[in-house]
Amino acid sequence: MAVFDQGYQRWKGEFERPRLRWLPMVRYQIALTLKRRLIWLILFLAIVPSLGFCGVIYFSTELADEFVRVPDIEAVLGGPSPEDRLNPLIEQAVSEISRQRGIDEVDQLSRADKYWIATCYAFYFFLMVPQSFVVLLVTSAVGAGLIAQDVRSNALEIYLTKPITALDYILGKLAVIVFFILLTTFLPSMLVFSTAAMTLQGYFDVAWPIVPRLLGACLFASLVNGIFMLGLSSLAKSSRYATVIWFALCMVSALASFVLAGVTENAHWLFLGYRNNFSFLIGEMFGGGLMFTIPRGEPVVASPMIPIAILGAIVLLSVVIMRKTIRSAENR
Amino acid sequence: MGPIIDIREVTKWYGSVIALTRITAAIGPGITALLGPNGAGKSTLIGIMTGQIRATRGEVRVLGSPVWGDPELNHHIGLCNQHDNFYEDLHAVDFITLMAKLSGLPRKGLGDRVREMLHRVGLEEKAWSRSIKTYSKGMRQRTKLAQALMHDPRVVFLDEPMTGLDPVGRHEITAIIRDIAARGGSVVVSTHILHEVMTMTDQILLLANGRVLAEGDVHEIRSSLENHPYRVKIVCDRPRALAHVLMEEDCVEAVELDHDMERRGELALSTRRADILFELLPRRARELGVALRELSSPDDNLEAVFDFLVHDRAMKGGF
């Protein structure tokens, strides 16, 4: 058993003055968040679609290889050689995409072009359909209480007694959301990419530029969603309140945007939907604005400045709300 | 050497409500008690002195630097807040470690430092690995104190630190506070319970209704209250004889003696010139052959000063 000197112990060391002063806060908040079962359920849900994608890539390639081993009738009849043949799923996807984009000469596209088109669309679909739903869940589960709980338990006050600024505090909180959103979007995306690179011949050489785009898209989504959620979280002392507003804004705005776009036949109403703005901008990153389609499948042609302005306004408003909450703690 | 905490003309408004009015004070090393009834503005002043709250007007300098907007100064400031501010799901060790890291303590040796500090504040070892939400009020108080002292601040602010502590706990915390002061630190203790601070310090800053009523040594403050006579209690073998002589003296305003007091050998005097009385009294006693057994002034303490400055003035509409 240790026996300690009961006198007041002088600290004899030097203080650290790291540039990222908020980092300890992030580590503890992540550890605290990971203690919740709900988070593990969401992490599981986040990985399931990527496992599905990996399975489809792997088994469809295996199946294609089996076909190659049988006498190749198409080659005899003058079709592409087995080396030039793509995974049949990719062939089918590229044909469908080309039809939507009005490209008639699909056969004239090179193998690399086909790989690239299929990659952009596959990852866009991956991020915007299953992972987008996961982002919705993880942002609320992780972020709703980040500031609300601090306000309720007065922890905000104790943070500000330490050598950190209000900006450090916000950055620390934001980093927690960014971490979890990247964990549920970028990591599964990389799992899919790695599987494709290992399974499909020559895929990596063609498709590697998708990696920085994936990272950019995931970072963009995590930063905007994170700031928006922190703004909601700082509105009240209850994380439930922030969660309800978050889902209501996402769902109601999406529903209203589709209804108005359908009724007025004006696709610009789609930007009323919070998440549609991400779909459009990430579509721009992945395929030049033609990814984002209205329900009939027609691409929406619009200036990217519209969603940038909308999301920018949301970010600005959220920052103002956060600042106000911290100011009220300072002027309490 | 200048004061550790220099408060200059500090005023704080909350909307249309004024919390502090032109507070000016200088706090030096050692223990200073920030006193005042509930709502006097003690917590607001502590908030301003620690850079937590922005003063509407005026400035507070701690260790020579303006405290507002300088987070680096928090390396040298420790605050034990009146309110609980924890992550309730964290264990005490994790909470203190987090606070220490945010204060800039390096990882090396941090675990030992945390354990030492938790021992020092008297938090039982078996409680360290329990969530803070299971802690009693006293355990929470000790945890808050540990986080305030972890980084060995030069200036420590303790807002109602004894709340929820049992007598043993109060004694232990008082010992820690004295220890910090004895080693050159500066401690500001806010409380509205006078006997808590009477054992700790004579240095006070007395607030009421957002104004400073008195600042400095409690005995000096008492002496300066010339309009309010001192009460002096004398225990001797012949109180009636002594009372008879002292009534003739100019410095004595009134003498109180009844049968019960006489039986106990007691005599009570009122004086506005305690210094003259204390010089004169032994001489007169010797001349009369009276044996003085005890001499005390029930007015020469914090409670009397507080009563007079806060309650009496308030009753007279002095604020």
Side-chain angles (χ1 to χ4, degrees), chain B:
Chain B
M1 196 178 84
I4 304 284
I5 304 162
D6 192 8
I7 307 164
R8 297 177 191 168
E9 297 279 316
V10 167
T11 298
K12 177 66 186 175
W13 289 85
Y14 291 112
S16 59
V17 177
I18 190 158
L20 295 173
T21 310
R22 296 169 67 94
I23 302 281
T24 296
I27 297 174
I31 303 169
T32 302
L34 184 58
L35 298 171
N38 288 329
K42 302 187 296 292
S43 294
T44 300
L45 185 58
I46 283 194
I48 292 173
M49 286 192 286
T50 53
Q52 300 291 295
I53 301 175
R54 186 175 204 165
T56 311
R57 282 191 202 138
E59 185 187 54
V60 172
R61 285 176 171 264
V62 175
L63 301 167
S65 303
V67 75
W68 175 254
D70 184 6
E72 285 297 311
L73 204 54
N74 287 340
H75 282 299
H76 308 293
I77 293 176
L79 171 64
C80 175
N81 242 328
Q82 182 182 7
H83 306 291
D84 284 355
N85 24 34
F86 303 116
Y87 286 125
E88 298 280 333
D89 289 326
L90 276 183
H91 301 161
V93 172
D94 293 339
F95 175 71
I96 302 297
T97 306
L98 169 62
M99 291 297 127
K101 283 182 179 172
L102 287 173
S103 295
L105 266 68
R107 283 165 174 247
K108 195 179 172 188
L110 187 58
D112 290 341
R113 171 83 181 160
V114 170
R115 282 188 288 277
E116 278 171 14
M117 192 49 72
L118 288 174
H119 270 294
R120 182 68 193 112
V121 296
L123 193 69
E124 290 175 8
E125 204 164 334
K126 62 184 177 189
W128 294 3
S129 53
R130 266 171 37 203
S131 297
I132 293 174
K133 65 184 170 198
T134 65
Y135 283 12
S136 67
K137 182 73 184 164
M139 292 160 83
R140 286 164 175 264
Q141 211 62 20
R142 290 168 196 267
T143 309
K144 281 193 290 185
L145 191 62
Q147 68 79 26
L149 302 179
M150 262 307 289
H151 54 294
D152 191 21
R154 290 173 62 188
V155 189
V156 182
F157 295 90
L158 308 172
D159 197 357
E160 306 283 357
M162 308 297 187
T163 311
L165 292 176
D166 55 26
V168 177
R170 287 176 186 225
H171 178 75
E172 288 170 0
I173 300 301
T174 304
I176 293 172
I177 293 170
R178 280 198 183 128
D179 204 8
I180 298 167
R183 291 170 192 241
S186 186
V187 187
V188 177
V189 187
S190 147
T191 182
H192 62 277
I193 303 169
L194 298 181
H195 62 82
E196 274 182 3
V197 287
M198 282 165 74
T199 57
M200 269 189 248
T201 183
D202 290 330
Q203 293 296 317
I204 64 162
L205 180 62
L206 182 57
L207 294 182
N209 289 357
R211 292 171 190 271
V212 176
L213 294 187
E215 181 200 357
D217 183 281
V218 69
H219 307 291
E220 288 173 13
I221 293 169
R222 180 63 193 85
S223 303
S224 67
L225 298 175
E226 291 180 357
N227 295 332
H228 191 65
Y230 258 100
R231 288 197 310 127
V232 177
K233 185 181 144 193
I234 301 166
V235 180
C236 59
D237 57 351
R238 291 162 54 210
R240 183 168 288 278
L242 188 60
H244 194 261
V245 172
L246 290 176
M247 277 172 68
E248 304 296 321
E249 301 294 338
D250 290 341
C251 63
V252 176
E253 297 240 324
V255 177
E256 190 184 339
L257 180 71
D258 58 26
H259 289 300
D260 287 342
M261 290 172 75
E262 192 172 3
R263 201 171 54 247
R264 293 196 301 269
E266 285 179 12
L267 172 66
L269 304 177
S270 290
T271 176
R272 290 185 199 279
R273 299 299 307 271
D275 49 341
I276 296 177
L277 177 72
F278 291 147
E279 195 185 318
L280 186 98
L281 187 62
R283 211 164 50 227
R284 294 284 178 267
R286 200 168 48 244
E287 287 165 8
L288 280 172
V290 172
L292 291 176
R293 294 191 190 122
E294 193 182 316
L295 182 65
S296 62
S297 172
D299 270 3
D300 189 22
N301 64 29
L302 185 56
E303 209 146 349
V305 171
F306 190 86
D307 273 348
F308 174 68
L309 287 175
V310 177
H311 298 141
D312 290 6
R313 277 203 191 177
M315 284 171 68
K316 290 172 189 167
F319 298 134

